Amino acid sequence: MKKFNMPLFISVILLSIFGIIMIYSSSYIWASFKYNNPYKYVINQGIFLVIGIFSMLYISKIDYHIYEKYSNKLLLICLILLILVLIPGVGTVRNGSRSWFGIGSFGIQPSEFTKLGLIIFTSKYLVNNDIKTFKNLFPILIIVFITFGLIMLQPDFGTGTIIVMSIMGLLFIGGMNMNFIAKGVIVGIVGIIGLILMAPYRLQRILSFLDPWSDPLGSGFQIIQSLYAIGPGGLLGMGFGNSIQKHFYLPEPQTDFIFSIISEEFGFMGVLIVSTLFLILIISGFIISKKSIDMFGKYLSYGITFQIAFQAILNLMVVVGLIPVTGVTLPFLSYGGSSLLITLCSIGIVLNISKNVY
Amino acid sequence: MFTKNIHSRINIVLFVILLLFILIIFKVFYIQVIDYDNLYSKAEDLWSRNLPVEGDRGNIYDSTGVLIATNETRASLVIIPNQVTDKEETAKKLSEILNTNYEDMLKHVSKKTSIERVHPEGRRLNYEISSKISELNLPGVYLMKESKRYYPYDKMLSNSIGFVGVDNQGLSGLELTYDKYLTGSYGAIKYFSDAKGNRLKLNEIYVRPQSGMNITLTINFDIQSALERELNNAMDRYDADGAWGIVMNPNNGEILAISSRPNFAPSNYKDYTIEEINRNLPVWMTYEPGSTFKIITLSASLEEGIVDLYNDHFYDSGSIKVGGATIHCWKHGGHGDQTYLEVVQNSCNPGFVNLGLKLGKERLFKYIKNFGFGTKTGVDLNGEGSGIIFDVEHVGDLELATTAFGQGVSVTPIQQITAVSAAINGGILYKPYIVKSINEPETNTVVLENKPVKVRQVISNETSIKVRDALEKVVSLGTGRNAYIDGYRVGGKTGTAQKVSEGKYMVGNYIVSFMGFLPADNPKVIAYIAVDNAKGITQYGGTIAAPIAKNILLASIDALNIEDSDGGTEMRYTYLDKKYYTIPNVIGMEVKEARKALKNFKVEYSGTGNTVIYQSPSEGVRIKEGETVRLLVSE
């Protein structure tokens, strides 16, 4: 058996280690204020990181075809969990979304598992079905729609978007007819407009990104605070630990906007390094996909990589003010135990696939 | 084939991903490099908290560099409520030291604000109080430098300078007019804080406050001091209702001294009435000028050539009939036959009525207006009055007659002194001013400079020379004798005007005045003095105001280094007056000889011997007859 793909492994490890360092740097002020314990977040994340890395290494040894075999069951479990989490008393509300199973101070989001579960399911579906015809495309779209619907009931627009878009990315390389894509884009636009009409706060979010200073204390607040972190970072940054914006200016700096703090402390150089690591990860993942010996491995490694890429891009574009605030975390870097764990497990799968390449 | 298709689509996706990453990196580059300054300054505003440091208010100097208004360093109590750990204790201690209400102080220290100024009870604290506060070392309690307006000479020039309020803002006078120049800008000690207001361990940045601009006045400190002193004396001696005076350079309109009574102490302006602190009498007050106004009639008559001062005669019977009314001369029984020069010397009312009638109302009023009466002079002091003069169309002979000797018109002191300046300086009316220049404090760059403003030529230089000559005779030979200064040529004119109340002349209540200048042949300084309702003395300008003006002119001689002059008209002595004699040199003489040489003086000597070795005063000094000369004799 071949060894797994080293560039992917190293970029993931470097991102994770950098992530844990930045979670400490960005969160200790907030953590000492909220929990009177500056290490609160870094310890939580550290535990998940250690478990995640071991899981990744372990999973990299498991033949990925097992997921093909159990894909239906995996998706079913995910969907059941998604329904369960909506029940008050079972699921808990954090940050306005009922998307958590709370275990003490730890929290697990079933939507994170669903992201992986649905990619596995779709990969298998693509292996077995030619989606050039609408008849074959339709069922998978329905499944995606149901999943999206369940997540939107929480509601978690960011995760919903990631799930839909990563499946679309999969269907795109799976040979989806360009006609459908065009129609899908139209449906998507109509859908977005519909969602905006359903909840006007989304429109405000959209407007706030165009001119955050129009409502500096309301919808523009986060993006302004993000720009105040990134801007003063300059070329070389203010130095590790020297962010000012993490001093309560940017709320929960260890989560969605951790990239702002990275930019503030490490400047443009830090941004280039983080981007490079992500690009190495993405390119490695795509190379693995291209070289994969079977179609399931091809789809699965591509799907996982694409999802990480899409989520990273979505987060970065929000943080730098290119798109409205969506509430998406940055893979490997943002605080979030279950997210990190699942992402590392997914990388484990890709690493296993990388062992079986031409 | 299908796989190839997949791979090409993966390439498309990768291409899009790369594009998006490039877009993100470009955006970050824009934010961090191109928009850096903008965002950094905005972010710094967000992070930094400014502890305000007040800039000094500009100084006010006299023309010789004497500080008339400056600042004292004080402290201001500033609280950063977020940093105050024990609100109750802090409030208790502060309220004890400041002797204020505990509840109010508790509100200050608990206020939801980044920086709280304890106003007004915590402003401009002196050293004693502020050191008590700083000794406590209370967290979140800061003392910031402030300055308090300080007037080293207290009441001097108070009505013109004005005063400042608790925020050092000018509230009246020059402090108000030039407030925007005098006000400094706030600097700050910038410290960085988190969003909750707690101080971050980052270096503080000191932003230096900018001091306000300095003003230099045309005022001469020595003359001003003399004027203040003389007005105080006059108030004490005569228990007057008020007194005021202006000293000016007649050749350019610079005000050398200006003051009035009542005045006030600017640092305690709250202890005075609104009238006392707001009225600057020398520019605000309007009243009948009385005889000093005759200078205007005289100038007009000479300029129009209707009278030969030296050869034309006028017979004063004691009264003159005009338009059915009889106007009396101030001297009962009249002055008899006089030349017009004597008319001026004697301040003879019927004589001036005659001049007025000869001029006619159009000509007289044209000169009155040209001399600046009826309109504000435009002096750079606020609250100036414009006075009232008759509308020419409604002037009958009686009004013309009374106007000619200074009744029935209402003028301000500043109008009178500028008009008379024009009459004696060669005929040019200047706009009076008190601010010479405004300078930027650090570089001393001139920001604003007032130059003499020529308003118009009112009379010719030839006429002006005649006016000066006539007014010199008033002092040496006429009613102004009390302003005579030996060795100097002094010109002047007295004035005594009845005050008007509710349309009627008040009985026994006069404003007496004197307008004097020197040297009479080439005036360098002019002084106007008025005393309102002097008591315990016959109210004549010559007896009350002239001696005051004399003292001020004497001070001006020293202050302006005016040289004594020859060729003046010697004073005509009356039996009351003592003559002046020049002391000869007696050093080296024998005592007997010396006594002979000093026959007009009282001689005292000390020492033993027969030869004078020292004399005081020395040779050449002029003293009054009978005054003492001291000699030191030796073997």
Side-chain angles (χ1 to χ4, degrees):
Chain A
M1 237 167 67
K2 280 185 169 182
K3 287 204 72 174
F4 58 62
N5 184 299
M6 247 350 200
L8 175 65
F9 179 73
I10 289 169
S11 60
V12 164
I13 292 295
L14 287 178
L15 279 172
S16 304
I17 290 170
F18 190 54
I20 198 86
I21 291 168
M22 283 316 295
I23 280 167
Y24 171 68
S25 172
S26 59
S27 75
Y28 73 92
I29 303 286
W30 186 259
S32 17
F33 168 66
K34 204 169 173 184
Y35 299 105
N36 206 19
N37 174 9
Y39 306 108
K40 171 84 178 173
Y41 290 107
V42 73
I43 288 171
N44 274 1
Q45 188 78 354
I47 291 168
F48 273 102
L49 179 63
V50 171
I51 296 171
I53 287 174
F54 279 111
S55 306
M56 175 175 75
L57 292 171
Y58 179 71
I59 289 170
S60 73
K61 291 181 168 47
I62 300 171
D63 182 10
Y64 63 89
H65 291 98
I66 192 170
Y67 313 116
E68 191 171 16
K69 195 173 163 191
Y70 293 112
S71 70
N72 294 352
K73 279 175 190 147
L74 280 171
L75 183 63
L76 192 67
I77 292 166
C78 286
L79 291 176
I80 290 166
L81 288 173
L82 280 180
I83 293 162
L84 282 176
V85 83
L86 292 173
I87 301 164
V90 180
T92 53
V93 178
R94 291 188 192 183
N95 299 329
S97 300
R98 190 175 293 283
S99 59
W100 298 81
F101 290 120
I103 307 163
S105 61
F106 290 93
I108 284 171
Q109 286 179 293
S111 52
E112 290 292 337
F113 295 100
T114 311
K115 289 197 307 200
L116 182 57
L118 198 59
I119 286 172
I120 293 170
F121 180 84
T122 310
S123 300
K124 188 188 171 189
Y125 188 87
L126 287 175
V127 172
N128 297 335
N129 300 280
D130 179 6
I131 54 162
K132 282 201 176 61
T133 60
F134 186 71
K135 189 171 78 74
N136 284 340
L137 179 63
F138 189 68
I140 189 73
L141 289 180
I142 291 295
I143 289 167
V144 171
F145 182 76
I146 290 167
T147 314
F148 180 70
L150 285 171
I151 289 170
M152 285 313 288
L153 286 174
Q154 296 177 352
D156 186 349
F157 182 71
T159 309
T161 307
I162 290 165
I163 285 178
V164 171
M165 287 311 293
S166 37
I167 299 307
M168 289 303 153
L170 253 179
L171 296 179
F172 174 71
I173 66 150
M176 188 162 63
N177 200 319
M178 293 305 276
N179 260 339
F180 296 148
I181 296 171
K183 282 172 188 162
V185 168
I186 293 165
V187 169
I189 291 168
V190 171
I192 288 167
I193 292 170
L195 286 171
I196 288 168
L197 293 177
M198 271 162 60
Y201 76 90
R202 294 196 183 101
L203 180 67
Q204 219 174 24
R205 279 187 172 186
I206 289 172
L207 294 178
S208 77
F209 107 89
L210 291 171
D211 180 16
W213 275 274
S214 64
D215 185 10
L217 295 177
S219 52
F221 180 76
Q222 278 181 304
I223 189 65
I224 288 176
Q225 297 306 326
S226 175
L227 293 177
Y228 283 168
I230 300 171
L235 274 176
L236 299 171
M238 303 179 95
F240 175 66
N242 293 343
S243 157
I244 295 176
Q245 281 296 87
K246 69 187 176 193
H247 290 268
F248 306 112
Y249 289 105
L250 194 57
E252 308 257 7
Q254 72 279 10
T255 60
D256 298 3
F257 284 87
I258 195 166
F259 189 71
S260 314
I261 306 297
I262 293 173
S263 310
E264 189 180 2
E265 297 196 348
F266 294 98
F268 190 61
M269 288 302 134
V271 171
L272 284 184
I273 290 166
V274 171
S275 306
T276 307
L277 289 175
F278 269 110
L279 284 173
I280 292 171
L281 185 157
I282 292 162
I283 291 167
S284 307
F286 284 3
I287 287 170
I288 291 163
S289 170
K290 282 193 199 173
K291 287 185 176 173
S292 177
I293 50 171
D294 65 21
M295 291 310 283
F296 180 69
K298 206 177 271 297
Y299 287 129
L300 187 55
S301 54
Y302 166 83
I304 288 167
T305 310
F306 180 79
Q307 191 177 68
I308 290 168
F310 181 77
Q311 189 175 337
I313 288 170
L314 198 61
N315 175 275
L316 296 183
M317 288 177 83
V318 166
V319 168
V320 304
L322 283 168
I323 54 168
V325 175
T326 44
V328 171
T329 57
L330 184 58
F332 303 109
L333 295 169
S334 288
Y335 176 77
S338 58
S339 170
L340 180 67
L341 181 62
I342 291 298
T343 313
L344 286 172
C345 290
S346 313
I347 293 295
I349 295 171
V350 180
L351 285 174
N352 182 260
I353 297 169
S354 75
K355 289 179 179 175
N356 296 294
V357 292
Y358 290 118
Chain B
M1 186 60 208
F2 181 62
T3 314
K4 206 179 161 194
N5 204 0
I6 292 176
H7 288 181
S8 65
R9 286 204 174 181
I10 289 177
N11 286 343
I12 292 169
V13 171
L14 182 61
F15 180 70
V16 173
I17 287 170
L18 283 172
L19 279 184
L20 289 173
F21 263 97
I22 289 167
L23 178 66
I24 290 162
I25 288 166
F26 265 103
K27 181 71 197 271
V28 172
F29 185 79
Y30 174 79
I31 297 168
Q32 292 192 317
V33 179
I34 296 163
D35 207 19
Y36 174 83
D37 289 335
N38 169 38
L39 283 170
Y40 192 89
S41 71
K42 278 183 177 167
E44 203 187 48
D45 283 348
L46 178 73
W47 301 331
S48 60
R49 299 288 186 274
N50 288 346
L51 289 168
V53 182
E54 192 180 45
D56 280 343
R57 194 169 171 83
N59 290 331
I60 300 179
Y61 298 94
D62 91 325
S63 60
T64 62
V66 178
L67 256 179
I68 294 175
T70 181
N71 304 286
E72 281 180 330
T73 299
R74 291 292 170 101
S76 154
L77 179 60
V78 175
I79 288 168
I80 297 174
N82 262 310
Q83 298 174 7
V84 177
T85 41
D86 187 342
K87 312 252 188 237
E88 282 84 10
E89 184 66 13
T90 303
K92 195 172 142 254
K93 282 184 172 159
L94 289 177
S95 58
E96 273 168 15
I97 292 172
L98 294 175
N99 200 14
T100 53
N101 189 307
Y102 166 76
E103 307 291 328
D104 290 346
M105 192 55 73
L106 189 61
K107 271 181 208 156
H108 283 301
V109 299
S110 327
K111 203 160 178 180
K112 291 236 177 304
T113 178
S114 54
I115 290 175
E116 172 72 352
R117 228 172 218 283
V118 182
H119 181 90
E121 58 272 30
R123 299 295 300 279
R124 312 201 192 283
L125 305 174
N126 62 26
Y127 176 75
E128 197 192 332
I129 292 178
S130 56
S131 59
K132 270 189 201 165
I133 294 173
S134 67
E135 274 165 19
L136 292 175
N137 254 332
L138 295 165
V141 174
Y142 296 84
L143 286 161
M144 305 308 299
K145 178 197 164 280
E146 266 194 324
S147 59
K148 185 179 194 294
R149 201 56 160 163
Y150 173 60
Y151 302 94
Y153 302 98
D154 199 31
K155 294 182 175 180
M156 177 185 275
L157 210 58
S158 56
N159 287 298
S160 295
I161 297 264
F163 54 90
V164 299
V166 70
D167 285 318
N168 251 3
Q169 78 281 30
L171 291 180
S172 85
L174 294 169
E175 295 275 22
L176 173 66
T177 314
Y178 293 95
D179 195 41
K180 68 171 173 155
Y181 292 101
L182 288 166
T183 305
S185 58
Y186 272 94
I189 293 173
K190 257 187 184 178
Y191 70 91
F192 289 96
S193 93
D194 66 19
K196 295 178 184 298
N198 302 305
R199 201 164 181 150
L200 294 179
K201 284 183 188 121
L202 289 169
N203 285 340
E204 290 166 352
I205 298 169
Y206 179 64
V207 183
R208 218 151 66 90
Q210 178 73 46
S211 296
M213 294 178 190
N214 294 332
I215 293 183
T216 301
L217 302 178
T218 58
I219 295 296
N220 181 295
F221 178 79
D222 292 338
I223 303 176
Q224 182 72 32
S225 303
L227 177 60
E228 302 282 357
R229 181 191 70 226
E230 290 302 321
L231 291 181
N232 284 343
N233 288 345
M235 292 298 284
D236 289 347
R237 194 180 307 154
Y238 303 120
D239 187 25
D241 291 356
W244 49 93
I246 307 173
V247 182
M248 220 161 93
N249 180 339
N251 302 309
N252 56 19
E254 282 183 2
I255 296 172
L256 301 173
I258 184 166
S259 189
S260 57
R261 296 292 175 275
N263 60 350
F264 65 96
S267 44
N268 297 315
Y269 68 91
K270 284 174 182 155
D271 299 344
Y272 298 84
T273 65
I274 290 287
E275 287 77 16
E276 281 168 339
I277 59 178
N278 274 351
R279 287 179 182 168
N280 194 7
L281 300 181
V283 300
W284 176 82
M285 184 106 179
T286 66
Y287 53 94
E288 280 193 353
S291 304
T292 51
F293 200 71
K294 287 171 181 162
I295 299 168
I296 306 306
T297 310
L298 171 69
S299 304
S301 305
L302 290 172
E303 180 74 6
E304 292 294 321
I306 58 160
V307 66
D308 180 339
L309 273 184
Y310 309 100
N311 299 315
D312 290 354
H313 282 251
F314 176 77
Y315 183 82
D316 173 26
S317 64
S319 66
I320 186 169
K321 276 198 157 60
V322 179
T326 306
I327 295 169
H328 291 276
C329 189
W330 61 272
K331 187 180 182 189
H332 192 70
H335 293 95
D337 180 61
Q338 317 157 83
T339 63
Y340 272 96
L341 185 62
E342 287 166 328
V343 166
V344 179
Q345 285 168 25
N346 297 330
S347 197
C348 172
N349 288 349
F352 275 93
V353 169
N354 198 41
L355 286 177
L357 294 174
K358 275 188 179 177
L359 274 170
K361 62 177 184 178
E362 273 79 18
R363 284 196 288 187
L364 179 60
F365 277 79
K366 185 188 90 185
Y367 283 96
I368 288 173
K369 281 193 177 136
N370 284 346
F371 271 114
F373 295 103
T375 48
K376 291 178 182 178
T377 60
V379 67
D380 47 354
L381 285 166
N382 48 12
E384 191 188 0
S386 52
I388 305 159
I389 53 172
F390 289 119
D391 184 350
V392 186
E393 287 172 22
H394 301 113
V395 170
D397 279 351
L398 182 60
E399 287 82 8
L400 174 61
T402 60
T403 303
F405 63 89
Q407 279 188 9
V409 287
S410 180
V411 304
T412 63
I414 191 83
Q415 282 174 340
Q416 291 190 66
I417 196 168
T418 47
V420 174
S421 293
I424 62 164
N425 70 6
I428 302 158
L429 184 72
Y430 285 98
K431 184 167 128 179
Y433 63 101
I434 191 166
V435 171
K436 193 173 225 161
S437 64
I438 299 179
N439 293 56
E440 205 276 318
E442 266 156 53
T443 58
N444 221 26
T445 316
V446 177
V447 176
L448 183 150
E449 189 172 19
N450 280 329
K451 292 255 161 60
V453 177
K454 209 166 153 177
V455 178
R456 67 180 75 87
Q457 182 91 31
V458 187
I459 55 172
S460 68
N461 190 33
E462 291 70 34
T463 306
S464 185
I465 290 167
K466 288 180 198 161
V467 172
R468 292 203 293 257
D469 183 47
L471 295 177
E472 187 183 359
K473 300 285 189 297
V474 170
V475 172
S476 56
L477 308 171
T479 52
R481 54 180 39 250
N482 283 332
Y484 185 79
I485 298 169
D486 190 52
Y488 284 87
R489 299 179 63 176
V490 182
K493 183 77 197 78
T494 55
T496 304
Q498 263 180 296
K499 281 159 76 182
V500 179
S501 174
E502 294 170 355
K504 282 181 198 157
Y505 284 110
M506 292 161 78
V507 179
N509 192 340
Y510 301 89
I511 293 174
V512 295
S513 60
F514 186 80
M515 184 81 73
F517 60 92
L518 65 73
D521 53 332
N522 178 23
K524 296 275 198 309
V525 60
I526 180 166
Y528 174 80
I529 297 295
V531 178
D532 183 1
N533 195 17
K535 295 174 191 77
I537 187 168
T538 318
Q539 294 185 52
Y540 282 123
T543 53
I544 298 169
I548 299 174
K550 177 186 171 177
N551 287 339
I552 289 160
L553 290 174
L554 278 169
S556 306
I557 289 169
D558 290 340
L560 304 174
N561 282 321
I562 300 172
E563 289 185 4
D564 53 1
S565 41
D566 303 318
T569 318
E570 278 286 323
M571 186 162 166
R572 186 189 292 155
Y573 294 100
T574 67
Y575 67 95
L576 282 170
D577 294 317
K578 294 208 166 148
K579 287 186 184 170
Y580 283 80
Y581 291 97
T582 306
I583 300 172
N585 179 31
V586 294
I587 294 173
M589 289 181 182
E590 295 207 341
V591 172
K592 211 184 267 176
E593 278 179 86
R595 297 197 80 142
K596 210 171 176 182
L598 298 170
K599 65 179 180 343
N600 292 316
F601 310 105
K602 202 171 131 192
V603 177
E604 284 178 4
Y605 47 95
S606 53
T608 51
N610 208 22
T611 311
V612 177
I613 55 162
Y614 179 76
Q615 70 177 77
S616 170
S618 52
E619 180 192 3
V621 173
R622 280 164 75 89
I623 63 172
K624 270 186 195 165
E625 181 178 18
E627 285 187 348
T628 308
V629 177
R630 288 185 178 79
L631 304 177
L632 183 63
V633 294
S634 180
E635 291 295 337

